[in-house]
Structures are given as C-alpha cells and as structure tokens.
C-alpha cells in the first residue's frame, strides 16, 4: 500500500483567530451564502448588531478635474497642418488645410483673419457665420501669391464661438533672373572632405552630404534688359533669385493655357518632384511653376498654367544667391555685358555608377584621355627637411608611399554623356571615394605571345625588379578584350627582358601584334574637392580634374 506524505493547508485567515466567525468558516463549508451566516451570536466581547446603512457626516473637499486623453483632443479647434513652411517661392503656392471643430456640441465659425500676411486666399470662400456640426471637419485650400513683401511670416486665424485656432505660414518670395546667358559658361561643384593621413595610409571623411553648385554666367543685355537687371540686382541683391539651369534647357514649343503637364525629356536633366521649373519664351515672357511629379517624358504641374506660350522652353530652376553681386560693363555699342556667379542654396545628391568595369571592388575609368589642354603629371615623395643653414641638410620621409599627381580629362558632347559624367562625379564625393585610373601610356612592352595558362609577362626591361614592387596593370587587346591583373613580383632575365609574375592566369590567347596596350593603373582619388565644368558650344562639357594616387 503506497504511503502518501502531505501537509495540512493553512486556514483562510492564516491562523488569525476572529471571535466573530464560527467554525464553519474555517471548515470551508459552502452551505452559507450570506455574511451573516458565518457570524457568531453575542460574545463576551460585545454583542453583534447590524447598524447598516450608516450615514456619514457631510464635508467639503477641494479638488480639480484631472485631464485625460479625451481633453487632449476634444473640446477645441484643430488645424492640420498648423504650420506651413513655403520655403523659397517663385510661383503661387497652394496647400490644403483641414479645420476640425472637435466639440461634442454644434459650433459656429464667427470670423477669419490674416495677421502679417498679404496675397493670401482661402477657398472655398468663408462667409461667416459658418455652422459646424459636432466633431465636423472642413477642408480649405490656402493659396499664397508671389505679390507682396519678400518675407512671409504671419498667421491665419479661425475664430469659433467655442474657441480659436491659428495657421502659421512662413516663406520667402523669390524673383527669377530671366535673362539668357552666353552659351559658354562655368559650373563648379564643391565638396568638403577631411583627409587624415598616417605614415602608411589615409582616412577620408565626407563633411558635406551633397556638393555645392554654382554657375558663372555672362550676359549680353539690351538697354531695356539692362534697366530690368539693374532694378533686380539693386532691390534683390541680398535675397534669393530663381536661376534656370540653362545647360539643361529643352525646347517644347506651344503650351496652352490651363495645361496641367508639359511633355519634355527629363531623363538626362535634374528635374525634381515637388520643385520648381521655368517655362521661358523670352526675358519678358517667362513663368516659374511648381511640379508634383516627374516622369520620363513629362512633368506634372501642381496648378494649371495661367497663360499660354507660343514657343516655350523648359528648364530646371534653382534658388541661388549672388554673394559677389552683379558686374556690368558698358562698351561702345548698346550691348551691356553682365557677369555674375550664382551660388545654389538647395543642393542634392545625384550619385550613380557610370557603368565602368570594376577591379578589386573599385571602378576602372577606361575612357581614353582626351586632349583639351596640356596633360601634366608630377611624382614626389613628401619629406621633412632639417636645415640649420650651417651644416649638413637632413631629410626624413613623411610617409611610405609616393605621391603621383595626374590629370583626369572629361569631355562629353551629348546630354546623356554629360548627365552620366555628372552623376559619376557626385558618386566620388570629392576627395572621399577612390577609383582606378588607367595611364594610357605603353608602360610595358610585351615580347612573348599570351596563352590562357600565362601567369607571367615577359617584357622589355625597364628595371622593374629594382624600382617597382606590387603594381596593377591593364592589358587591352585589339579585339577589345580587357584584362586587369596585379603584378606580384618581377625578375631580370639578364637578356634585356624581365618576367612579371601575375596574381592569376590570363585565360586568353593573343599574339604580340594583337596586343593593343599594356599600361599601369593607379588607385586614385580627386586631389581637390572642387571640380570646374566648362560648358562650350553644341552642348560640349569638358573638365581637367587633378587626381592623386593613394594606398589601396
């Protein structure tokens, strides 16, 4: 027979004796369904009496109503959004605003008022009093025109019989600089990079998310345009202008009044959604309009076009300042030459790969060098010179790699190539990112045919084993095949040739005559955070960009 060990459970009151409770309570008897059934009659302590209900003496208690989630949202007027920042305005701006009477009882809009605002319209028109049912919301369109004070900073209030709420509006009115410049002009992109160098490498930290952009334009103005330009530059000198990106101008022809979209090729131009573009016909017939979206072949407008154009051009528009002012030169004729540098205030990042082949995780710029000027190179090793001017001069190296300064040439003729080059420059982030640059010089003269198993090149001697270590090379065949390899070591053959050991077999066959070029590749970055693009006739853009070799 099994033996079961157990313990006695504790009584409900944990052993506390209450003279007013009988044994039935501790025995868990459930036959009693009222409290009185558990009570014992009179005891030696005091008799049991039921005096319920008992009346309390009234008293006054001071307090306040505790706020709740309900009071945070109701019994008040809400305006959503309650603040609108219009930024830099070149055209009439329209925003939708919801006015919500969050009362549980009917309310009445008694009045509206604009404070420190001009050229503000609200539609549908509000003619007080306006009845609002409990918890009713109405949507209004608030439009701010371009006529008025340069700075917009005010409020538009809605006064109800049960409360008041205000819509705050900020912004700046901008004027378009409408004159078309000469075709040839300069454009500058500027990044900012902190380069921290050590003895064997360097660290590069980008301090600017997107490059600053500026345009250096030259204008030939008629006397009337000169008068217009003087008025603009006098009254608006310290403010923001709207500047068309003339290098991305497109001809679209007639545009009717009320148009809500414009058909234009946007693929190779910096058009942006929810931004501003210019519709231009001449310096006295232009219009800045706001966009909602940009598609491959069209731009959707936020508001219908208020007037028509018979021979329109379209271009992206940028907000810019003239920190150095505008220069005017009046020569013998009527034409007035004007020059100005416009610094864009709202920049963006356009980085994208250019489609170059990659080697060791970096792009290889395989475009051949285009001579748009003298191409210079400089090779040096930074040193510290100790000279007390009375004894021997001592020299100590600052680091363990050679500074090889070269020039990267960019020359594009089509809008597509220009856009591709621009986006690739953005991807470099100034000095921060690196790439491989091909020298396009016949650095190595191969003397022995190539086979798929070839893992070494026999070249005409250049004293490689003594002067070079590990180097990277490009082998280009006349068939177009391009190979990238690393030279690990080299030996002299004592017959006027040297053998270079490669990091991998070539995998192709070629005679010596079928080899187009074998040249060194340098791992480089930009030597300056500033890149100047020269816009020439026929849409050609060129640039000579200084680069410097850095450790991999």
């Amino acid at each position: 027979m099994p033996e079961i060990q157990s313990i006695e459970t504790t009584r409900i009151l944990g052993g506390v004796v209450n003279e007013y409770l009988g044994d039935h309570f501790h025995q868990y008897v459930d036959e009693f369904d009222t409290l009185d059934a558990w009570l014992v009659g009179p005891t030696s302590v005091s008799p049991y009496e039921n005096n319920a209900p008992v009346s309390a003496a009234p008293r006054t208690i001071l307090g306040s109503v505790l706020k709740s989630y309900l009071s945070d949202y109701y019994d008040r007027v809400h305006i959503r959004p309650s603040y609108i920042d219009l930024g830099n305005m070149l055209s009439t701006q329209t925003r939708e605003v919801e006015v919500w009477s969050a009362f549980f009882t009917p309310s009445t809009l008694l009045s509206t008022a604009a404070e420190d605002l001009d050229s503000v319209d609200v539609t549908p028109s509000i003619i007080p009093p306006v009845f609002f049912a409990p918890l009713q919301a109405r949507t209004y369109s608030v439009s701010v025109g371009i006529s008025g004070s340069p700075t917009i900073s005010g409020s538009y209030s809605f006064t109800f019989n049960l409360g008041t709420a205000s819509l705050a509006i900020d912004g700046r009115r901008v004027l378009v600089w409408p004159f078309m410049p000469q075709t040839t002009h300069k454009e500058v992109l500027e990044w900012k990079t902190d380069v921290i160098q050590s003895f064997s490498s360097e660290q590069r930290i980008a301090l600017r998310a997107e490059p600053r952009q500026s345009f250096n334009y030259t204008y030939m103005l008629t006397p009337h345009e000169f008068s217009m330009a003087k008025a603009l530059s006098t009254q608006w000198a310290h403010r923001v202008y709207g500047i068309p990106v003339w290098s991305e101008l497109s001809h679209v022809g007639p545009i009717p009044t009320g148009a809500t979209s414009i058909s234009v090729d946007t693929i190779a131009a910096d058009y942006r959604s929810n931004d501003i573009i210019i519709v231009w016909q001449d310096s006295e017939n232009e219009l800045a309009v706001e966009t909602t979206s940009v598609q491959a072949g069209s731009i959707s407008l936020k508001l219908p076009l208020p007037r028509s154009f018979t021979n329109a051009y379209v271009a992206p528009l940028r907000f810019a300042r003239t920190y150095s002012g505008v220069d005017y030169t009046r020569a013998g004729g009527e034409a007035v030459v004007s020059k100005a540098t416009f610094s864009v205030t709202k920049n963006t990042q356009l980085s994208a790969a250019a489609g170059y082949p990659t080697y060791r995780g970096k792009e290889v710029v395989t475009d051949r060098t285009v001579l748009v000027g003298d191409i210079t190179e400089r090779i040096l090793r930074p040193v510290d010179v100790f000279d007390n001017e009375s004894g021997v001069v001592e020299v100590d190296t600052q680091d363990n790699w050679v500074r090889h300064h070269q020039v990267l040439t960019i020359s594009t003729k089509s809008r597509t190539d220009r856009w591709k080059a621009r986006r690739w420059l953005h991807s470099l982030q100034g000095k921060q990112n690196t790439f491989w640059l091909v020298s396009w010089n016949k650095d190595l003269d191969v003397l022995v045919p190539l086979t798929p198993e070839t893992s070494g090149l026999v070249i005409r001697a250049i004293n490689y084993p003594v002067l070079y270590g590990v180097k990277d090379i490009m082998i280009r065949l006349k068939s177009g095949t391009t190979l990238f390899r690393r030279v690990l070591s080299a030996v002299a053959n004592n017959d006027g040739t040297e053998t270079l050991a490669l990091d991998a077999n070539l995998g192709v066959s070629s005679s010596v005559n079928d080899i187009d070029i074998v040249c060194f590749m340098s791992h480089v970055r930009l030597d300056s955070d500033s890149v100047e693009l020269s816009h020439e006739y026929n849409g050609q853009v060129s640039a000579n960009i200084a680069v410097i070799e850095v450790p991999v």
Side-chain angles (χ1 to χ4, degrees), residues 83-91 93 144-146 148-153 169-175 236 238-241 276 319 321 345-346:
Y83 172 70
I84 296 176
D85 185 1
L86 298 173
N88 295 310
M89 286 179 49
L90 280 162
S91 61
Q93 301 291 299
V144 181
I146 60 174
S149 59
T151 302
I152 303 169
S153 181
I169 302 176
D170 286 334
R172 293 164 299 279
R173 290 184 171 94
V174 180
L175 293 180
W236 216 260
H238 61 292
R239 298 192 178 101
V240 179
Y241 294 99
I276 307 291
F319 301 113
R321 295 181 184 271
T345 61
K346 184 181 179 181

Side-chain angles (χ1 to χ4, degrees), residues 224-497:
H224 179 62
E225 289 175 335
F226 178 36
S227 178
M228 294 172 57
K230 281 196 301 181
L232 275 174
S233 55
T234 300
Q235 303 302 323
W236 216 260
H238 61 292
R239 298 192 178 101
V240 179
Y241 294 99
I243 300 299
V245 183
W246 293 103
S247 60
E248 297 178 357
L249 187 72
S250 296
H251 181 253
V252 296
I255 304 178
T257 302
T260 57
S261 65
I262 299 176
S263 297
V264 60
D265 184 9
T266 62
I267 296 297
D270 189 11
Y271 291 101
R272 306 171 189 175
S273 299
N274 298 312
D275 203 69
I276 307 291
I277 64 172
I278 188 169
V279 181
W280 188 93
Q281 187 162 305
D282 54 54
S283 59
E284 298 183 71
N285 191 11
E286 45 77 21
L287 183 66
V289 294
E290 191 175 6
T291 66
T292 56
S293 61
V294 177
Q295 296 81 34
S298 66
I299 300 174
S300 299
L301 307 181
K302 191 163 192 177
L303 297 174
L305 213 60
R307 64 175 186 263
S308 63
F309 292 82
T310 58
N311 188 28
Y313 293 80
V314 173
L317 201 66
R318 296 290 170 262
F319 301 113
R321 295 181 184 271
T322 54
Y323 296 117
S324 300
V326 183
D327 296 330
Y328 300 99
T329 302
R330 302 174 69 179
E334 288 190 345
V336 177
V337 179
S338 173
K339 294 182 179 180
T341 297
F342 296 92
S343 299
V344 177
T345 61
K346 184 181 179 181
N347 301 284
T348 190
Q349 176 62 268
L350 301 173
S351 61
Y356 291 120
T358 59
Y359 170 65
R360 302 178 69 84
K362 303 291 180 67
E363 288 185 310
V364 182
V365 178
T366 54
D367 297 334
R368 287 186 179 269
T369 302
V370 179
L371 292 177
V372 295
D374 293 338
I375 297 179
T376 60
E377 295 187 32
R378 182 163 56 96
I379 299 175
L380 64 89
R381 183 79 176 268
V383 296
D384 290 320
V385 180
F386 302 93
D387 184 7
N388 61 9
E389 299 186 356
S390 63
V392 178
V393 177
E394 296 292 340
V395 174
D396 189 20
T397 58
Q398 296 179 3
D399 47 50
N400 68 348
W401 80 88
V402 175
R403 299 288 199 279
H404 187 187
H405 297 263
Q406 303 175 69
V407 175
L408 169 64
T409 301
I410 293 178
S411 181
T412 64
K413 294 184 178 181
S414 68
R415 174 172 288 193
T416 301
D417 289 342
R418 182 169 68 244
W419 181 246
K420 172 184 171 182
R422 179 185 300 277
R423 301 192 70 181
W424 181 73
L425 286 173
H426 275 243
S427 72
L428 295 181
Q429 284 283 95
K431 296 180 182 179
Q432 187 188 36
N433 295 322
T434 59
F435 58 96
W436 293 99
L437 181 64
V438 180
S439 71
W440 288 110
N441 178 63
K442 293 186 177 181
D443 297 309
L444 303 176
D445 190 4
V446 178
L447 303 176
V448 176
L450 308 179
T451 65
E453 293 77 23
T454 297
S455 60
L457 295 180
V458 179
I459 65 169
R460 184 178 178 182
I462 60 170
N463 210 12
Y464 191 107
V466 176
L467 301 178
Y468 286 121
V470 176
K471 292 283 288 183
D472 298 276
I473 63 173
M474 181 191 76
I475 304 171
R476 170 71 66 89
L477 305 182
K478 293 180 180 179
S479 63
T481 301
T482 303
L483 305 173
F484 306 116
R485 293 293 184 269
R486 169 160 285 192
V487 178
L488 302 177
S489 62
V491 296
N493 299 325
N494 299 324
D495 59 357
T497 66

Side-chain angles (χ1 to χ4, degrees), residues 112-118 120 152-157 166-169:
T112 60
E115 183 177 352
D116 297 328
L117 292 176
D118 47 16
V120 176
I152 303 169
S153 181
S155 61
Y156 196 90
S157 61
S166 297
L167 167 66
I169 302 176

Side-chain angles (χ1 to χ4, degrees), residues 2-24:
E3 179 180 351
I4 300 175
Q5 296 182 354
S6 63
I7 59 174
E8 182 181 0
T9 59
T10 305
R11 292 186 175 189
I12 293 176
L13 295 182
V16 177
V17 178
N18 189 329
E19 297 180 357
Y20 295 98
L21 297 178
D23 290 339
H24 294 289

